[in-house]
Amino acid sequence: MAKCFALMGWSLPVIESMQKLNKSFVVVSFPDFENYAQENNIPFVPYQFDEWSDSSNSLDLKDKLEPYDVDVAVPLFEETVEWAGALNSLYRDDPKVLNRAFLFRNKAMMKRKALIGGLRVGLFEEVYNKEGVVNFMNRLNQANLQVDGEEDSWVHIKPFASAGTVGHRLLKSKADIEEKCQDDDFPCLAESHLPGKEFSCEAFVHGGKIRFLNITEYVKLGYSNFIPEGNYLHTKREKIMKEMQKLVDLFGIQYGMIHPEWFLTENDELSFGEVACRIPGGHILELCGQAYGFDALAAFVCCHDPELTEEELNELLPPLDARPKTFYGNVMIYPHKNEISRLVIPEELKEEPFFLDHNLVPPLTSQKVNSREGFGNHFGTVNFKGDDPDRMSELLLHYENVDFYH
Amino acid sequence: MQENIISKNKLESFDELFESYQSATVLTREEKAKKIVGQLDAWCGNLEGILQIYKRIPALNQVGIFKGTPWENPSRLVPQLVNGTFKSGHPNSTFELLSELRMLAIARGEIQASDNSKEEAETYLQEVLVLNLEFVFNEPQEETRLLMSEDELNKVHSLFGFISEQIQLSKVKASLVDELVLICEQRPVVTEKQRRIIALVKEKIALDPNDPADEDLLAFQRSIYRPSIGTEGKTYKEYEEYLNGLCEAQLIVEAEQMSEGMLSNGLVSSYQASLLLFLVKNKHFEVVAKCLGLNESGLAWFSEYQEFVCTLIVDVIHPNNAQCIYGLAKSLENGVLSRSAVRAGLHNLLTISLHPKVKERIIKSLGNAKGEVSPKQFLIGALLRILGQPLGVGQGNNPTCQSARGISMWSQHAPAKLIHMVHAAAVHNDLSFRFEGREIKYSESALGLVQKLDHQLDAVSVTLVPMLDKIYNEMMRRASGRGEDPHKWVNPGLYGQWIQIGFASAYDYLSNAIVDFDGFVKVFYAMCHPQYNGGHRLVYPNPVGIFITSAKGEMLGFHAISLLRVEKDPQGTIRAYFLNPNNEGRQNWGQGICPSVYGNGENHGESSLPIHEFAGRIYAFHYNNLDATAKMDEVPQNEVNKVKELAKNSWGKSYTWLEIKKQW
């Protein structure tokens, strides 16, 4: 069993889970959190993650963690993935662990890797400026045999190394490229639009094997998802499991959790979108824990520990074939207007039997909303719970369009 | 789903959240508390939900839901802060609601506490209740209306409904007297609020006739429940029987006692209608005048038009339509009934049949007080009230200050026009105005400001306001896009051509800024301030636009009032006396600016402020453009500066200010 976990990044729910589990840990995060950590007796090492220099690097951090006896590092956020990779490389004496971390941090690299391994991916390319995106769209149009007057093929651009949907833009035409792309978007990844139903998987991996697989059904990317997957997606579980294990093998994941996004087309084909190895956004682990009745955050952390025993694994994770009867879903709420002055919880929500809770707060007097192209800066979340996945989908779609901020 | 029942799902969801909260450590408690409170917020819309929350309060308190919040320590809470917290919306309002329920649980021993704390909790709740009568009766004030959503209002109303059923009011008698005086001194046309408070007092407090502290409250109760010795222990029907046995001298005593009560606070009891009808039918005309409590000029007009007045009484007044007796008395005294056009209009009204839609609206406005009185009687009764108390017209819980202001102005300066409008609207459920040479018809206009009229209004207002509101909006639409405030043209178009042509606005549409505020204030003082306008008095009410500001002086919105007069008050301060159609005396506009409604020389229904404080909130008014420019130079800069400072440090923060001069 691990002597001590280094939790890379500040997350109160994770800290709480670790305390409850009674595992030894130390939190590594920005110095801003030091006071709070001290007041609450949280073992803490302040570190400037965004600095890399002679005095700020993984060897130095390893030294700082030595007094705590750390032997496993766990990346909680996208930005700490390389740090954790570097530390684990040292702890396990395996340089590939770090390289693998880089793989997770470069969306072009991970796609290439997937392509090599025989996973289905869209057309993609690194682009360096607007012109590059236009050229990419042109080639895509060509490949799609565009006739004069037909719409352009859709292109997505994404920063190489941002979490989930941050900075993600969908470009539907050349005019869109002109309008939406900004100089500081580049360089980035451009890729063709993948059709199909989008979902994510959270595979808890230990010893290179998937020990528990959660499937999160996306109702709308960046807005809403629910767990466990709906009935249709559930019929594909076996197929998904196969592709997932392929991905794990291909990427050489031994310990931890991976969170890839997939697209399921109508003719039953799975396309790989991208993959991350930190805590997923959209409160997915929270929903997953509620639905399957386990502490998903604790499990996430512990799976990083190579010495975890079979018994412990069985205790931490639900069985592979578990199928909960109650579905948990959420919708992230964004204001619909540019200037908002109050929060209005609609009466229909209060009367909705599936409504569980929300954490929305009113705006500060009159607040201007930052314009948003990517996702990630939602104002709060509304949670639902119920026994009917179709009704759940319907509700999540509906509330995405309800204006909570007036 | 059944109404008023909290579903099993919700109860289960709560248990799940509560469980998760309970097992959380201090690290995530705040986030989880937010969720519980978010779920409980969904329960608050009705009494059943409040009761369910109340049942869970001891447990919530036990696990520390208030810990680390401003509500942590009950003994440190201040009743005066409750109202503002409710206005700030969820989650604060939900925590506040939980805090009130915890107080109740402490007062009733559901949460362990010392006797002392129980006592304190009871006192706290009583004070909170009196400070929040607007929520108890669901009659929100202007600021509240602007700030709170309908759901939030409903939630707080449910809470106060629950609490007021559980506690007494014995410790807040003095505040209740203040509240009643404050309302009654304004002599509102609609008297439901004071009646409800008096009823609440009757239900909640055992008053002691021998205790001088109870005297004021007893006097209010008497004016409704026992306005004379003869009414003691009788229903108004029994009282009608009883009157048959009285001699004229006894009738005079009854009449005098009743009119005295009516004149002292403007409230009329059912008994007084019984008495008045009895006197008219039995031709005791001299006693009729006493029963109306008429002053000398009222008496003179009564003698002149006795037959007409008695017809009105017989046709309109009924024990269930008694309040208009006060209006009738006042319309005799102010001479409005002496105008032949008014009498003709009223005579015609007695003969019409109401449009079914209008009937519907009137009936809806009555709440429970129906029976034996026709909608037409209510309509004419309300008209009498408005003619007698032009400054008592209110907008109720509606954003229709423009329409209320209009009804009040017409009542004073164009009463026959008002009656004619009521007539047309009541018969056709339609209304037509001439605006800049073209016709605007209610039935052909698009939406108004008010989508769902709150019917706690008088019968004239429920008849006219929906129409006036739409017509006003249509006028605004036609006059917009001219680079200036449309009110410049709409005010004279709506209210009447006696509105002055000159229109001053602090806000400049083209530059989107406050331009030449100095000049604006100078024109204002030159228009109305007797020291600078040549000692003149205002002739007609001036429709003035004001900024509504919060108790902190923050800009909240716009409001329509009319400036009635500017004069020295009894202390020698120059004050602006104005009509605020929102009928609310206890307002706080921030910076220490609190309009008063009595005690500073106000007539019933007027609000007042020292002139510079008033000027510090206005943004538009009318003036005589041939006159003012010559006088404005005489207004000293230090007077202007006083106003400007108030303006700049309150609503002015929401605007850009340009100091360039402009031509007025």
Side-chain angles (χ1 to χ4, degrees):
Chain A
M1 181 170 114
K3 289 189 277 251
C4 180
F5 292 96
L7 304 179
M8 310 297 285
W10 182 261
S11 162
L12 288 175
V14 173
I15 297 169
E16 184 178 276
S17 287
M18 293 308 284
Q19 286 177 342
K20 284 189 184 166
L21 209 60
N22 226 349
K23 292 255 185 189
S24 143
F25 69 93
V26 56
V27 176
V28 187
S29 189
F30 291 98
D32 294 357
F33 298 102
E34 194 166 9
N35 279 341
Y36 184 94
Q38 242 161 30
E39 280 164 25
N40 290 280
N41 286 327
I42 297 166
F44 188 80
V45 170
Y47 217 74
Q48 208 68 47
F49 286 134
D50 51 4
E51 210 178 295
W52 199 82
S53 66
D54 283 353
S55 57
S56 177
N57 55 56
S58 54
L59 292 173
D60 173 70
L61 180 54
K62 182 170 174 273
D63 286 346
K64 292 214 161 78
L65 293 175
E66 217 143 67
Y68 296 89
D69 241 356
V70 171
D71 53 358
V72 176
V74 182
L76 303 189
F77 302 111
E78 188 68 28
E79 290 73 14
T80 61
V81 167
E82 295 108 318
W83 286 98
L87 287 173
N88 285 332
S89 265
L90 297 169
Y91 294 141
R92 290 192 224 154
D93 195 19
D94 177 0
K96 285 241 162 106
V97 176
L98 174 60
N99 288 351
R100 213 166 284 134
F102 288 138
L103 188 58
F104 282 106
R105 290 288 284 150
N106 185 323
K107 288 183 181 170
M109 195 169 142
M110 75 174 74
K111 286 221 170 211
R112 213 164 281 129
K113 181 85 178 160
L115 192 59
I116 294 168
L119 296 177
R120 206 181 124 99
V121 298
L123 187 65
F124 65 95
E125 203 170 280
E126 282 114 319
V127 288
Y128 300 89
N129 47 38
K130 272 189 192 180
E131 211 187 333
V133 188
V134 175
N135 291 337
F136 181 77
M137 190 179 269
N138 278 336
R139 286 193 287 276
L140 204 56
N141 284 339
Q142 250 172 11
N144 285 332
L145 310 180
Q146 186 191 37
V147 178
D148 264 0
E150 259 180 3
E151 279 178 20
D152 290 319
S153 302
W154 292 3
V155 170
H156 295 256
I157 60 165
K158 295 171 181 173
F160 291 126
S162 288
T165 48
V166 177
H168 177 165
R169 299 178 208 278
L170 169 59
L171 308 168
K172 295 184 176 178
S173 64
K174 301 219 178 92
D176 257 9
I177 299 177
E178 196 49 50
E179 211 175 283
K180 292 185 186 165
C181 292
Q182 270 134 38
D183 287 343
D184 52 7
D185 288 342
F186 299 103
C188 65
L189 177 76
E191 58 179 327
S192 60
H193 178 73
L194 291 169
K197 186 169 190 53
E198 191 172 9
F199 63 92
S200 77
C201 290
E202 289 68 40
F204 293 77
V205 180
H206 201 263
K209 285 267 160 301
I210 297 178
R211 308 301 302 250
F212 173 66
L213 178 70
N214 175 67
I215 300 176
T216 303
E217 184 155 339
Y218 286 11
V219 176
K220 183 155 178 198
L221 177 67
Y223 282 95
S224 49
N225 34 235
F226 67 86
I227 294 173
E229 72 279 11
N231 292 331
Y232 176 72
L233 205 51
H234 186 62
T235 60
K236 311 290 170 203
R237 198 173 172 97
E238 214 168 303
K239 185 184 179 77
I240 294 169
M241 185 70 180
K242 249 190 220 154
E243 290 293 295
M244 280 298 293
Q245 189 62 52
K246 214 196 249 181
L247 182 68
V248 169
D249 295 344
L250 180 64
F251 277 53
I253 313 294
Q254 286 294 313
Y255 304 103
M257 193 205 79
I258 56 167
H259 159 66
E261 282 166 358
W262 298 91
F263 297 82
L264 177 67
T265 60
E266 275 173 22
N267 37 16
D268 240 13
E269 278 169 323
L270 281 173
S271 306
F272 168 76
E274 57 187 68
V275 61
C277 65
R278 31 90 197 160
I279 295 181
H283 311 277
I284 284 177
L285 288 191
E286 191 183 317
L287 297 178
C288 178
Q290 284 174 310
Y292 286 92
F294 74 117
D295 187 339
L297 293 172
F300 169 82
V301 174
C302 291
C303 280
H304 287 81
D305 173 11
E307 320 222 330
L308 200 66
T309 64
E310 197 65 20
E311 259 173 30
E312 284 176 307
L313 267 172
N314 290 337
E315 216 164 278
L316 280 166
L317 292 168
L320 250 180
D321 59 354
R323 174 70 177 163
K325 290 206 167 49
T326 307
F327 296 79
Y328 284 79
N330 67 23
V331 53
M332 278 152 271
I333 302 301
Y334 304 91
H336 295 201
K337 299 186 184 75
N338 288 332
E339 196 161 345
I340 52 175
S341 59
R342 67 181 183 204
L343 166 71
V344 177
I345 308 292
E347 197 62 24
E348 55 168 341
L349 178 67
K350 295 184 181 179
E351 283 168 12
E352 171 53 53
F354 275 29
F355 168 63
L356 179 60
D357 60 52
H358 73 78
N359 63 356
L360 299 168
V361 288
L364 310 158
T365 57
S366 201
Q367 188 173 340
K368 286 217 164 66
V369 180
N370 293 328
S371 67
R372 179 179 62 89
E373 280 291 332
F375 298 101
N377 51 350
H378 60 279
F379 271 49
T381 312
V382 180
N383 287 305
F384 296 90
K385 164 198 173 187
D387 51 12
D388 176 359
D390 298 327
R391 172 73 185 144
M392 178 70 80
S393 272
E394 213 174 275
L395 277 173
L396 296 180
L397 266 182
H398 171 71
Y399 280 101
E400 175 206 318
N401 293 314
V402 170
D403 201 353
F404 286 77
Y405 287 95
H406 292 224
Chain B
M1 202 193 325
Q2 251 178 301
E3 214 190 340
N4 286 348
I5 301 288
I6 299 299
S7 68
K8 209 169 132 239
N9 276 328
K10 282 188 182 170
L11 299 180
E12 279 173 11
S13 293
F14 173 81
D15 290 343
E16 183 173 333
L17 294 168
F18 186 77
E19 183 60 43
S20 145
Y21 178 74
Q22 208 171 10
S23 65
T25 69
V26 62
L27 302 180
T28 59
R29 286 210 145 193
E30 204 180 321
E31 185 60 27
K32 289 185 174 164
K34 238 193 230 174
K35 294 185 166 187
I36 292 197
V37 174
Q39 169 67 245
L40 290 180
D41 174 40
W43 299 17
C44 298
N46 54 57
L47 283 177
E48 170 64 19
I50 302 282
L51 175 68
Q52 291 296 342
I53 300 175
Y54 181 67
K55 283 186 186 164
R56 287 161 179 75
I57 269 291
L60 283 165
N61 187 51
Q62 178 81 32
V63 298
I65 194 92
F66 296 106
K67 218 159 180 206
T69 73
W71 296 271
E72 181 163 347
N73 187 344
S75 65
R76 292 224 187 116
L77 297 178
V78 183
Q80 281 74 13
L81 296 181
V82 171
N83 188 277
T85 312
F86 278 127
K87 286 179 196 158
S88 69
H90 179 84
N92 285 346
S93 60
T94 311
F95 266 113
E96 186 61 54
L97 179 144
L98 294 177
S99 161
E100 258 64 73
L101 291 177
R102 174 183 57 181
M103 264 324 166
L104 186 60
I106 293 173
R108 296 172 71 196
E110 317 256 4
I111 290 175
Q112 277 276 314
S114 65
D115 284 350
N116 202 14
S117 311
K118 278 188 190 175
E119 189 74 19
E120 276 173 22
E122 172 80 26
T123 308
Y124 176 89
L125 283 173
Q126 291 195 16
E127 283 177 27
V128 166
L129 208 64
V130 171
L131 291 169
N132 291 281
L133 287 172
E134 58 170 331
F135 296 132
V136 178
F137 298 132
N138 212 9
E139 288 176 356
Q141 297 173 19
E142 188 74 22
E143 183 186 351
T144 312
R145 196 161 41 230
L146 287 167
L147 287 174
M148 287 176 76
S149 68
E150 209 174 304
D151 281 357
E152 283 289 312
L153 270 175
N154 190 25
K155 157 173 153 185
V156 181
H157 177 55
S158 305
L159 170 76
F160 278 101
F162 184 77
I163 291 182
S164 69
E165 273 183 23
Q166 312 280 338
I167 63 161
Q168 295 296 309
L169 285 173
S170 51
K171 294 172 183 168
V172 284
K173 288 179 200 165
S175 319
L176 285 165
V177 172
D178 287 350
E179 183 72 25
L180 282 169
V181 170
L182 202 65
I183 302 172
C184 288
E185 276 301 314
Q186 299 178 73
R187 295 291 190 272
V189 161
V190 175
T191 57
E192 289 318 303
K193 187 168 181 192
Q194 51 278 48
R195 285 170 192 270
R196 285 161 82 172
I197 297 175
I198 292 168
L200 191 70
V201 169
K202 190 175 179 221
E203 185 192 317
K204 292 280 173 193
I205 313 176
L207 296 172
D208 178 0
N210 298 318
D211 183 349
D214 289 358
E215 181 46 40
D216 290 330
L217 285 176
L218 280 167
F220 277 112
Q221 291 205 341
R222 275 199 304 273
S223 65
I224 298 181
Y225 302 114
R226 194 183 62 74
S228 68
I229 294 172
T231 58
E232 183 92 64
K234 301 182 188 67
T235 67
Y236 73 82
K237 289 219 163 112
E238 289 163 356
Y239 181 65
E240 281 165 12
E241 292 288 314
Y242 164 80
L243 288 173
N244 287 316
L246 296 190
C247 68
E248 175 132 333
Q250 286 170 311
L251 287 172
I252 289 174
V253 172
E254 288 293 306
E256 282 177 344
Q257 283 188 352
M258 287 206 196
S259 61
E260 196 186 321
M262 172 179 84
L263 293 179
S264 70
N265 57 30
L267 293 173
V268 187
S269 72
S270 302
Y271 300 101
Q272 196 161 349
S274 303
L275 177 62
L276 193 61
L277 286 167
F278 176 86
L279 294 172
V280 169
K281 283 173 191 158
N282 294 285
K283 306 200 183 339
H284 296 287
F285 296 119
E286 272 170 39
V287 195
V288 167
K290 287 196 194 316
C291 184
L292 291 172
L294 298 173
N295 66 9
E296 287 201 3
S297 56
L299 209 54
W301 293 122
F302 176 66
S303 325
E304 180 85 23
Y305 302 112
Q306 183 178 305
E307 198 187 330
F308 177 71
V309 173
C310 289
T311 311
L312 273 181
I313 291 173
V314 173
D315 283 0
V316 174
I317 288 167
H318 181 278
N320 289 336
N321 191 23
Q323 184 58 38
C324 59
I325 295 173
Y326 182 71
L328 175 66
K330 291 297 139 186
S331 49
L332 278 166
E333 290 178 355
N334 68 21
V336 66
L337 286 185
S338 70
R339 303 193 188 193
S340 63
V342 168
R343 289 196 308 282
L346 286 172
H347 168 83
N348 294 347
L349 272 185
L350 290 171
T351 67
I352 62 171
S353 36
L354 302 191
H355 190 280
K357 287 271 180 229
V358 173
K359 269 191 197 165
E360 215 173 86
R361 289 209 293 276
I362 292 176
I363 289 169
K364 203 170 162 195
S365 75
L366 296 173
N368 304 321
K370 292 165 215 168
E372 300 174 44
V373 184
S374 71
K376 187 162 85 181
Q377 284 174 301
F378 280 120
L379 178 64
I380 301 174
L383 186 57
L384 289 175
R385 283 146 73 177
I386 286 171
L387 292 172
Q389 314 155 248
L391 302 182
V393 178
Q395 67 197 83
N397 182 15
N398 295 298
T400 50
C401 42
Q402 305 280 350
S403 308
R405 172 165 84 174
I407 292 173
S408 170
M409 279 192 204
W410 295 318
S411 168
Q412 294 168 80
H413 297 289
K417 170 180 164 136
L418 174 66
I419 297 171
H420 185 70
M421 265 191 265
V422 171
H423 185 136
V427 173
H428 304 292
N429 190 32
D430 203 354
L431 199 60
S432 186
F433 264 69
R434 199 182 296 120
F435 182 62
E436 299 183 335
R438 287 188 295 157
E439 189 183 6
I440 294 181
K441 227 171 168 182
Y442 158 73
S443 54
E444 290 165 5
S445 300
L447 287 181
L449 294 177
V450 55
Q451 309 303 330
K452 212 174 95 196
L453 187 73
D454 179 86
H455 280 72
Q456 292 185 27
L457 290 173
D458 63 89
V460 168
S461 296
V462 290
T463 304
L464 283 183
V465 166
M467 301 178 190
L468 292 173
D469 181 46
K470 270 197 183 180
I471 289 169
Y472 160 76
N473 233 29
E474 177 60 21
M475 286 183 183
M476 288 295 283
R477 198 185 63 76
R478 291 191 189 178
S480 62
R482 300 178 185 176
E484 282 185 70
D485 187 339
H487 288 101
K488 177 176 179 175
W489 301 278
V490 170
N491 283 337
L494 185 68
Y495 302 131
Q497 291 303 329
W498 36 270
I499 304 279
Q500 301 274 15
I501 302 248
F503 180 79
S505 174
Y507 173 75
D508 183 74
Y509 271 61
L510 298 178
S511 50
N512 184 24
I514 303 298
V515 174
D516 192 11
F517 191 71
D518 288 12
F520 175 76
V521 175
K522 284 181 180 174
V523 175
F524 180 68
Y525 274 32
M527 180 273 292
C528 67
H529 195 301
Q531 268 168 20
Y532 311 112
N533 75 352
H536 292 162
R537 290 188 277 175
L538 295 189
V539 179
Y540 287 108
N542 193 333
V544 172
I546 61 167
F547 292 109
I548 286 285
T549 48
S550 71
K552 285 185 251 163
E554 293 157 343
M555 163 89 179
L556 288 178
F558 308 98
H559 190 46
I561 60 161
S562 32
L563 179 63
L564 303 170
R565 57 192 179 98
V566 178
E567 277 166 28
K568 268 194 183 141
D569 72 7
Q571 287 79 40
T573 311
I574 299 279
R575 294 181 83 86
Y577 295 90
F578 57 98
L579 169 87
N580 187 343
N582 73 9
N583 276 153
E584 176 46 50
R586 196 179 36 215
Q587 300 182 57
N588 186 348
W589 292 354
Q591 297 175 313
I593 301 180
C594 300
S596 79
V597 292
Y598 74 101
N600 287 304
E602 296 88 354
N603 296 322
H604 292 309
E606 284 179 339
S607 298
S608 84
L609 277 175
I611 183 79
H612 69 283
E613 294 186 354
F614 181 78
R617 287 295 180 272
I618 62 172
Y619 71 87
F621 60 91
H622 286 267
Y623 66 100
N624 183 343
N625 51 335
L626 305 177
D627 206 22
T629 40
K631 289 175 180 162
M632 64 186 279
D633 292 337
E634 287 163 34
V635 181
Q637 189 61 35
N638 63 339
E639 288 291 326
V640 175
N641 291 344
K642 270 202 301 196
V643 177
K644 198 170 175 179
E645 199 184 316
L646 289 174
K648 274 205 150 174
N649 293 323
S650 57
W651 58 265
K653 289 182 184 165
S654 307
Y655 290 94
T656 312
W657 288 59
L658 296 180
E659 294 296 343
I660 46 174
K661 295 286 165 218
K662 75 177 188 189
Q663 184 67 46
W664 292 93

